Amino acid sequence: MNQVYAAAAGTKRELNKVFWAAGFGWMFDAMDVGLLSFVLVALREEWGLTAQEAGLLGTFNLVGMAIGAVLGGYLADRLGRRPVFLLTLLVFGVFSLGSAFAGGFGIMLALRFLMGVGLGAELPVASTLVSEFAPAAIRGRMVVLLESFWAAGWILAAVLAYFVIPPYGWRVAVAVGALPIALAFWIRREVPESPQYRAKAERRIGIRELFTSYKRETIALWAVWFAIAFSYYGMFLWLPSVLVDKGFTMIQSFRYVLLMTLAQLPGYFAASYLVERWGRKATLAVFLVASGAMALGFGFSQSTGMLLLTGALLSFSNLGAWGALYAYTPENYPAPIRAGGAGFAAGFGRIGSVVAPYLVGALVQGHVGYAPIFGVFTAVLLIGTIMLLIYGIETKARQAS
C-alpha cells in the first residue's frame, strides 16, 4: 500500500480528508436534490401546479447546474480547487434552506436556480480533486466510490420524504434536509489544495485546447454527458409522479421509490470494481446499454412487481454509469484544463437535464404514454454509447499529469 501511495499526487492522509469531505457534501447535496422529486408531488397538490409547471421547476434547477458546472470548472483551474470547492457548498446551502420558506411558484423557481448554480459548480471540482489526490492504481475506484455518496443522499431523501412529508409537509422536509450542509461546510475547511494545481503553473495551456488538441475526448465526453444527464433527470425527477399517475398513492409511491433507490448503491460498487478490471470505457458502455434497456422495460411495466424490478435495475445501471463517467471524465485532460474540461462536459450535459424534465411534463400533459416517453430515454442512451465507442479513449493506464 505504501508503494501505491508513493506515486500519488497527495499523501494517503490528504486523500482521506478530501474523499470524506467531498463525499459528505455530495451526500447532503444529493439528499436535497432528491427531495425535489418528492416535493414536486406535494406541490402539484398544494399549489395546484400543472405537469408542465412541475417540470419547469426541475428545469430551472438544472439550468443553474449547467451554468454552475462551466463556471465552477473554469474558476477551479484559475483560482484553485479548494476555494471554489468551499464556495459551492455555501451557495448551495443558503439557497437550499431558503427554498423551505418560498411563498410561491416564482420565488421557488429563483431559489432552485441559484441552488443549481452551487451544486453544478461543486460536482466537477469535487471529482477533479479526488482524482488528483488518488494514485493511478486506485484512482477510478475512488472517484466511483465518491459518486456513491450521491446514492446515499437519494436514499436519505426517500426516507425523509416517506416519514416527514405526509405528516409534517414538504417545507419541514426541505428545512431538515438543508441543515446537515452546515456540518459538511465545516468538514471541508480541512481540505488541502491539490498539489497538481499548485504545480500547474509550469504548464499553462488555454481552455481552447479542449476543442483542438483534445477534440476527440471532448466529443465523446459531451455526447455521453448529454445522454446520461438527459435520461437521469428526465426519469428520476419524475419517478414518484410516474408511480402516482400509474395509480399508486403518494405514500405508496414514496415507499416504492425508496426500494428502487436502494439498488443505486450496489450499482456504484459494481462500477467501482469494474472500472479497474475492465477499464473506464468498457464499464461505462455496458452500464449505459443496460440503463437504456431497463428504461424501456420500466416504461412498459404494468404490474407492481415488474415496476419494482425494472425500476431497481434502472437505478443500478444508471447510477453505475454515472460513477464510471465521473471516474472517466477528469482523466481525459491534463491538470491545467482538467477541472475546466470536466466542467464544460458537465455543463453541456446539463442541457439534456434542462430539457428532459420539462419535456416529460409536456408529454404527460399531452397524454403521451410512459412507454414511448421512456423509449426516448433508451434511444438517447444508445446514441451516447455509440459516440463513446467511436470517439472515446481508454484512460485506465494514464498517469495524472
Side-chain angles (χ1 to χ4, degrees), residues 135-342:
I138 60 169
R139 186 172 59 225
R141 184 184 311 143
M142 293 299 293
V143 178
V144 178
L145 290 175
L146 168 67
E147 171 69 0
S148 72
F149 281 88
W150 186 268
W154 267 79
I155 292 169
L156 287 175
V159 170
L160 196 59
Y162 183 73
F163 287 105
V164 175
I165 291 180
Y168 302 110
W170 65 269
R171 294 182 188 276
V172 175
V174 171
V176 172
L179 291 178
I181 294 173
L183 174 63
F185 184 75
W186 178 78
I187 292 171
R188 283 193 182 181
R189 293 188 306 169
E190 300 297 316
V191 172
E193 181 57 272
S194 164
Q196 290 187 39
Y197 172 78
R198 293 196 299 265
K200 83 178 184 67
E202 302 172 7
R203 300 178 57 219
R204 293 194 179 278
I205 57 177
I207 204 73
R208 65 183 179 277
E209 294 293 316
L210 296 176
F211 314 104
T212 54
S213 302
Y214 298 92
K215 180 172 65 176
R216 178 172 176 169
E217 291 90 335
T218 297
I219 291 172
L221 287 173
W222 286 28
V224 176
W225 268 94
F226 182 92
I228 198 169
F230 179 91
S231 63
Y232 175 80
Y233 286 96
M235 293 186 293
F236 284 87
L237 280 180
W238 277 92
L239 209 52
S241 298
V242 169
L243 293 174
V244 168
D245 289 344
K246 283 182 177 283
F248 299 100
T249 66
M250 183 173 75
I251 294 178
Q252 285 176 323
S253 167
F254 289 177
R255 183 189 306 132
Y256 291 151
V257 171
L258 172 58
L259 292 174
M260 294 176 195
T261 304
L262 291 173
Q264 294 181 8
L265 280 173
Y268 282 123
F269 297 151
S272 72
Y273 173 77
L274 293 173
V275 291
E276 302 295 1
R277 188 171 183 85
W278 291 354
R280 284 46 158 162
K281 182 179 173 180
T283 301
L284 180 54
V286 168
F287 275 89
L288 286 171
V289 171
S291 182
M294 289 305 105
L296 197 60
F298 185 83
F300 277 99
S301 295
Q302 296 297 325
S303 68
T304 302
M306 284 304 296
L307 282 169
L308 284 172
L309 177 62
T310 55
L313 291 173
L314 177 61
S315 290
F316 177 94
S317 55
N318 195 270
L319 276 296
W322 269 115
L325 181 59
Y326 268 104
Y328 182 56
T329 301
E331 294 179 343
N332 278 268
Y333 302 112
I337 57 170
R338 182 171 295 134

Side-chain angles (χ1 to χ4, degrees), residues 118-135:
L119 176 60
E122 175 198 6
L123 300 181
V125 179
S127 59
T128 298
L129 255 177
V130 173
S131 181
E132 290 183 342
F133 271 97

Side-chain angles (χ1 to χ4, degrees), residues 75-107:
L75 292 176
D77 279 337
R78 275 141 189 82
L79 305 178
R81 306 343 184 187
R82 184 180 184 277
V84 177
F85 191 42
L86 292 171
L87 180 62
T88 57
L89 189 64
L90 182 62
V91 171
F92 179 86
V94 168
F95 293 111
S96 172
L97 187 60
S99 68
F101 303 96
F105 183 62
I107 188 65

